[in-house]
Amino acid sequence: MATMKNGGALMLAIATIAFIASLARAAESPLSEAQLVEIAVETNPQVKSARYRWDSAVHSIKQTIAPNDPIFTYTNSDSPKNPLGRAAVRQFNFTETFQFPGKALYQRDQAVRNAEIAHLALVATVRDVRAATETGYYQLVLDGALAGVNDENVRNLDQVVRVTETAYSTSAVPQTDVISSEFDLAAARQLQRQYLTAVANDETALNLQLYRPVGSPLPVDRTLKLEALTAPLDALTDRAYAVRQEILEAALAERNANTAIYLAKMEYLPDFTAGVQYDDYLVPSFAPIANEPRDWVGSIGFNLPVFFWLKQDEDVARAKANLQAARSDQALIKIQTAAAVATLFRSAQFAYQTAILYRDSLIPLARQNLRVALTAYQSGKIDFVTLSGALQREYAARVSYLQAANQFLAGEVSLEQAIGAPLHQ
C-alpha cells in the first residue's frame, strides 16, 4: 500500500512538473495576432465597462412589469391631546395604483431592446479593442521589419565603404567616394537607432491595449503575412448592413421610437387607483352604525386627461418626430457605412497589389541591380553616384513594400471596423 501511495505521489509530481513546463513554453512562444486580441478582450477595462452596462440593462427588464409598491397609511384621528395620544378613530389604509392594462408590456419591449442595444455596444467595444490591438500589433511588426531592412542596408553600406577604400588605396577612385560612403553609413546607423526606438514604443502601445505594465512586453510573432481580399465589394456591403453594430442599434432605436408612439397614445387612457380602509372607532358614538365600532371602506379612482391638448397631444407629436429622426439616423448610418466600405475596400486592394508588385518583382530587380553595380564599380565601369543610386533603389524598394503592406493591413483593420466583423473567420 505504501508503495502504491509513493508511486501515485511520484506520478502526480511528474504531471505537475510537466504542466508547469508546458506553461513556461507557452509563455516563451511568440503570440499570434488572434491570441493578442483574445488577451486584450479579456483584460481591457473598456470591454469590462461595456459588459457591466449590458448586465445593468438586462436587470432593468423585470422592473417594467413589476407593480407599483402599495401605500400604507395609518391615521390617528380626533385625538384631544396630541397626534400620538388616544384618538376617537384609528384608520388603516392600503392604496395601490395601476397602469392601464397593456402599458407595461410596451415598456417591457422597450427595456428588452435597450438591453439589446447595450449588448451591441459591448460587441462594438470588443470590435474597436480588436482593431486597436491589431493596429498596434501590425505597427510593431512593420517597425521591426523596417529595422531589419535598415540593418541589412547598414551591412550593404559597410561593404560599399570597404570597396571604396580598396579602390581609393589603388588610386582608382577619388577620396570623395570614401567620404560619401562613410557619410551614408553613419546616417543609416542613426536611422537604425530611430527604428529601434519606434519598436520599443510600439511594444509599450501594445501593452496599453493588453492592459499590461509598460516594461513587460509579450513575445509576439513578427512574421508579416498578407492575405488578399477575396470577397466582392457588394458582398461586404451586404454583410455590413446585416452585422454592423451601429446599424442594428439604429434599427432598435427606431422600433423603440415606434413603441413610444403607442405609449404616448395610451396616455389618453386612464390609470387607476384602488384602496381599502379599515376604521376602528374608539368612541362608539362616532361609528356610523350603533354597536358597530369597526367598518371597512373601499375606494377606486382614475385620472381624467382633461388637459390632453397640453400634454397627451404634445407627447404624441414628440414621439412621432422622434420616430422620423430615428429613421433618418438609420438611413444616414447605412449610406455612410456603404461609402466607408467601398472606399476602404478599394484602397486596401490597391495597397495589396502594390505590396505584391514590390515583393515579387521590383525588390528582386533592385537586388540584382545592386549586385551588378557592385561588380561594375569594382571594375571601374560605373562611378560612385551610379552605385549609390543602385543601393538606395534597393533600400527604397524594400521600404516601399513594407509601407504598402502596412497600408493594406491598416485598411483591412478599418474595413473590419466598418463592416462590424472580422473578414477572415
Side-chain angles (χ1 to χ4, degrees), residues 228-234 236-237 338-352 408 411-412 414-415 418-419 423:
L229 301 177
T230 56
L233 177 57
D234 291 341
L236 294 178
T237 303
V341 169
T343 302
L344 293 169
F345 176 80
R346 297 190 192 103
S347 298
Q349 285 283 62
F350 176 76
Y352 177 80
F408 167 70
E412 189 178 41
S414 299
L415 185 59
I419 294 173
L423 293 173

Side-chain angles (χ1 to χ4, degrees), residues 208-227:
L208 176 62
Q209 295 300 324
L210 302 178
Y211 203 55
R212 291 178 55 83
V214 174
S216 57
L218 290 172
V220 300
D221 181 9
R222 304 197 181 192
T223 305
L224 186 61
K225 303 174 183 177
L226 301 181
E227 187 174 350

Side-chain angles (χ1 to χ4, degrees), residues 162-175:
R162 291 196 299 270
V163 169
T164 55
E165 288 177 343
T166 302
Y168 175 69
S169 65
T170 60
S171 300
V173 298
Q175 189 178 9

Side-chain angles (χ1 to χ4, degrees), residues 53-388:
R53 292 190 183 95
W54 174 40
D55 188 51
S56 173
V58 169
H59 287 292
S60 300
I61 297 175
K62 292 182 180 179
Q63 295 177 334
T64 57
I65 58 175
N68 296 325
D69 293 331
I71 300 176
F72 169 74
T73 305
Y74 170 75
T75 304
N76 201 49
S77 180
D78 296 335
S79 176
K81 295 183 179 180
N82 59 70
L84 301 179
R86 181 175 175 80
V89 181
R90 293 185 301 178
Q91 296 173 327
F92 304 86
N93 183 279
F94 285 90
T95 305
E96 176 69 24
T97 59
F98 301 93
Q99 292 188 111
F100 191 88
K103 280 187 178 181
L105 296 179
Y106 284 116
Q107 292 167 349
R108 184 183 184 278
D109 289 343
Q110 286 186 322
V112 169
R113 294 190 194 107
N114 288 334
E116 293 176 358
I117 290 174
H119 180 257
L120 289 172
L122 167 61
V123 176
T125 301
V126 171
R127 175 201 67 193
D128 295 339
V129 169
R130 181 197 304 116
T133 303
E134 289 175 343
T135 300
Y137 168 74
Y138 290 141
Q139 190 63 48
L140 175 60
V141 172
L142 172 68
D143 286 338
L146 285 172
V149 169
N150 192 72
D151 182 65
E152 184 174 344
N153 188 52
V154 168
R155 293 195 297 271
N156 290 335
L157 286 171
D158 186 63
Q159 182 181 0
V160 170
V161 169
R162 291 196 299 270
V163 169
T164 55
E165 288 177 343
T166 302
Y168 175 69
S169 65
T170 60
S171 300
V173 298
Q175 189 178 9
T176 56
D177 289 2
V178 179
I179 297 174
S180 297
S181 61
E182 290 177 345
F183 176 89
D184 293 339
L185 177 60
R189 285 173 174 169
Q190 182 61 26
L191 185 60
Q192 184 69 6
R193 298 186 184 96
Q194 177 182 339
Y195 283 138
L196 294 178
T197 302
V199 169
N201 290 338
D202 293 338
E203 291 175 343
T204 300
L206 187 58
N207 273 356
L208 176 62
Q209 295 300 324
L210 302 178
Y211 203 55
R212 291 178 55 83
V214 174
S216 57
L218 290 172
V220 300
D221 181 9
R222 304 197 181 192
T223 305
L224 186 61
K225 303 174 183 177
L226 301 181
E227 187 174 350
L229 301 177
T230 56
L233 177 57
D234 291 341
L236 294 178
T237 303
D238 292 339
R239 187 180 181 191
Y241 285 161
V243 302
R244 178 166 179 158
Q245 292 74 29
E246 286 79 2
I247 294 178
L248 300 180
E249 288 177 19
L252 291 172
E254 180 188 355
R255 293 177 62 187
N256 269 352
N258 189 56
T259 302
I261 293 180
Y262 290 100
L263 286 172
K265 290 179 178 179
M266 292 186 76
E267 291 183 7
Y268 292 111
L269 303 174
D271 294 331
F272 300 94
T273 301
V276 61
Q277 179 174 308
Y278 174 72
D279 297 331
D280 183 14
Y281 294 94
L282 301 180
V283 178
S285 60
F286 280 22
I289 301 175
N291 299 323
E292 293 290 340
R294 299 175 179 84
D295 62 15
W296 293 87
V297 179
S299 64
I300 187 171
F302 56 89
N303 66 303
L304 298 174
V306 294
F307 301 105
F308 63 89
W309 67 90
L310 293 176
K311 187 177 187 301
Q312 284 80 3
D313 285 357
E314 294 299 318
D315 285 344
V316 173
R318 184 175 66 249
K320 290 181 178 179
N322 289 336
L323 175 60
Q324 295 301 323
R327 288 174 177 171
S328 298
D329 290 341
Q330 184 182 13
L332 177 62
I333 292 175
K334 291 184 71 174
I335 193 171
Q336 287 177 337
T337 298
V341 169
T343 302
L344 293 169
F345 176 80
R346 297 190 192 103
S347 298
Q349 285 283 62
F350 176 76
Y352 177 80
Q353 294 168 358
T354 303
I356 297 303
L357 174 64
Y358 274 98
R359 186 191 67 184
D360 297 343
S361 178
L362 299 183
I363 291 178
L365 287 174
R367 285 177 173 171
Q368 182 182 5
N369 185 43
L370 177 59
R371 290 194 297 269
V372 172
L374 280 171
T375 303
Y377 180 79
Q378 290 174 331
S379 61
K381 295 180 180 180
I382 62 173
D383 57 10
F384 178 78
V385 175
T386 305
L387 173 62
S388 179

